[in-house]
Amino acid sequence: MDVRAQISMVFHLDKCIGCHTCSIACKNIWTDRKGAEYMWWNNVETKPGTGYPTKWENQEVYKGGWEKRNGTIALKGAGKKKGLLNIFHNPNLPVIDDYYEPFTYKYLDLIESPAADDQPTARPVSLITGKPIDIKMGPNWDDDLSGTPDYARQDPNLENLSPAEQEAMFQLERMAFFYLPRICNHCLNPACVASCPSGAIYKRGEDGVVLINQQVCRAWRMCVTACPYKKSYYNWHTGKSEKCILCYPRIEAGYAPACMHSCVGRIRYLGVVLYDADLIEGAASSDTDNLVDNQLNMLLDPFDPRVIQAAKENGVADSTIKAAQYSPVYKFVKQWGLALPLHPEFRTLPMLFYVPPLLPVMASLSEQNTRQGEKMDPIAKFWPDNWLYDTSTEELWGTIDQARFPLKYMANLFAAGDEAKVKAVLKKLMAVRIHRRGVTVGDIPPEKVEQAMREAGLDADTAEEIYKLTSLAKFDERFVIPPAHREQAIEMLEFTGDTKGSVGFGFKEKPQRGL
Amino acid sequence: MNRYVLLISLVVVLPNLTSSGQTGSTDASALFQSKCGICHTVGKGRLVGPDLAGVNDRRPEEWLLKFIHSSQAMVKSGDPDAVALFEEFNKTIMPDPGISDTEIKTILQYIAENSGASGGATAYESVLADAGSEEVEHGRKLYNGNIAFANGGPSCIACHNGLSGTYFSEKSYAKDLGASFSTLGEQGVKGILENPPFPVMARAFLNKPLLPEETRALLAFLQQADPQQAAKAAVKPGSGFMLYGLLGAASLILVFSALWYSRKSKSVNHAIYKRQIRSIN
């Protein structure tokens, strides 16, 4: 048993309101620099949708992540042989048009234009060329547009859904969508680290944050190809690749990362989990059916004396073990089994988990609503279709089976296609709601509540705990950040005054392209 | 291809080797030999250029001065006599000797004095009568620089084209010597080899003259190379080459488009962008 600590995250999608505050917080702190304008280390996508960069989930296009071959795994689009073959031209690299061309407006024209007959306008200019452009795309261009053929219907997760199911998702007035905030997953088996020819990317020992050493990076951009989540970005100005750093300077100081700190919906949870590094290879190369189970099996019980013993032997600090015991992530992922990894089939063992949205609580019933038509004026427009939303919980799980998002779609996102896993999570979420409704409103008979809890495998205390951590959790309960132990980390011994007063990343040696 | 133009691209004014302070008939003779004698004779028949015996009588002195200073300038200005001469001698350019009016007059004086002296042309005797293939091979090696000249002169290929049957004529610093024999004749080539009239070549071989046997071997090689070069010039390269090139390119395009059929060739947003209306010109 090789016990290590990993700072892990849970995003509760039912709570996300799609306000993009996280993206803006991240951009303001980290990527408001030349060459980084197009990067969104944190972005929020509308699902169904194609995301950012467009169709990032389609690995037939971008060749990211790992694929299983002969019982083991290999990088899909990078690695030694493929890297050498594509050394001068990497065909799977996303181009700027796959993201979007960053732009600003010439605001100064509004106040500095000479007097004329026409109102001055602020023309959009490219942040890359500086010339006027037509804005063609933005990082969340498909925001809230889950019904458009350009975006929502191109969603790679619609694979394996029947045409009827797909059509049902996009029916007018029945259309539904949810938000998927994404940051770097700080994977346990990161493809970006494996692909880097320069060895510039590493996973930090003390907390598992994946970082790119800006002084070692040689602009091969293999990480951009290899990361299946497309969360490594190439800075064309500095000639280095960059990615989410999980705000490690904030974490070291005991603050939550900027995106989590600013989250309006309080959907984000952060904490330490202990895992067994010996199991990484086995978990990453397991069969698709067992991927999620094997990944979750790697996470260890921080209360188990043997685990604690092994962790101590491995140099994990006592304070970190204590943080792991209070970790909200461990509760959501392991204790309650409510959170699942995003696209486990990429085999990178992502350490960012999502509580899938139960959002379409209002399921549709397929019955003709003729009574309403009788009541209405004969000339009134009336749809006698089955678009009747039913909020009753008469049939406890019927609503989940007939959800507006087919279970298959959710399973494609969070469980490598295994519907049972998603269903189990949704059942638990539903049971907690039924339980709380029984407590607060009291219009659900106790037998029904009990039946729901039994079928979901929960007891009243657990449901109450889930409810509290979901709805009432305070800052310190959502973010359990282990102390940074500055005295042990050599890189922290550098004098911070060197960069104090300067903005953002900063470089001690200014990176330049070419010789 | 009987046109043979000795194109002197770099007209450098050689430091005047014959000091201008010297006078007298021996000096005049030496001056004539060094500046004119390779291509011209006085009363011994035409070599590369015409026999100069009686030239003072044929042309006015003013014309001669101008012509000797720069024959090409006169040809270009359209002087009918100069053009006629140029045409008569296969458009062989007479290099500007770079000497002063007084020196030219000395030479003209020398020509005038010797014009009546000799009686008719003496036949040039070929030195290549018994040259065998070994001699030719030796010449080729000297030409190509496989064997260095004994006195340390640069090998021919340093400035001239290779003559060993390459398909394309490569660019060279000095003239292609392929047809030198048929244009200048053995005597002319021999004269140039023994005493180069061209400024750059003269400078290159200054104090490093060729040995007689080296000259002979080179002559043998150039004589043997001459008909080959003529035959080569008759072949027009191009049409077949172009065809094969196009076929090759087409097959490469086919192979790679098959190989890279599923490659990502444009942005995934291409279709969306294509529909958008442009407003920026």
Side-chain angles (χ1 to χ4, degrees), chain A residues 54 61-62 89 91 93 97-98 123 134 136-137 150-151, chain B residues 263-264 266-269 272-273 275-280:
Chain A
T54 311
V61 175
Y62 292 114
H89 174 64
L93 211 56
D97 275 350
D98 293 340
R123 291 183 82 185
D134 271 330
K136 292 190 286 189
M137 178 71 85
D150 270 344
Y151 303 106
Chain B
R263 243 186 189 201
K264 178 172 178 285
K266 47 184 181 266
S267 160
V268 292
N269 295 319
I272 300 174
Y273 288 174
R275 285 205 310 275
Q276 295 183 1
I277 301 160
R278 289 188 67 82
S279 69
I280 310 281

Side-chain angles (χ1 to χ4, degrees), chain B residues 177-190:
Chain B
L177 298 181
S180 56
F181 234 78
S182 45
T183 317
L184 300 174
E186 184 190 327
Q187 197 183 0
V189 177
K190 184 160 174 276

Side-chain angles (χ1 to χ4, degrees), chain B residues 67-96:
Chain B
F67 189 86
I68 294 167
H69 260 306
S70 177
S71 61
Q72 277 304 296
M74 282 189 82
V75 171
K76 276 174 193 155
S77 71
D79 183 283
D81 291 335
V83 173
L85 264 177
F86 188 53
E87 294 291 338
E88 186 185 341
F89 285 89
N90 293 331
K91 295 189 175 175
T92 304
I93 292 170
M94 175 173 134
D96 299 343

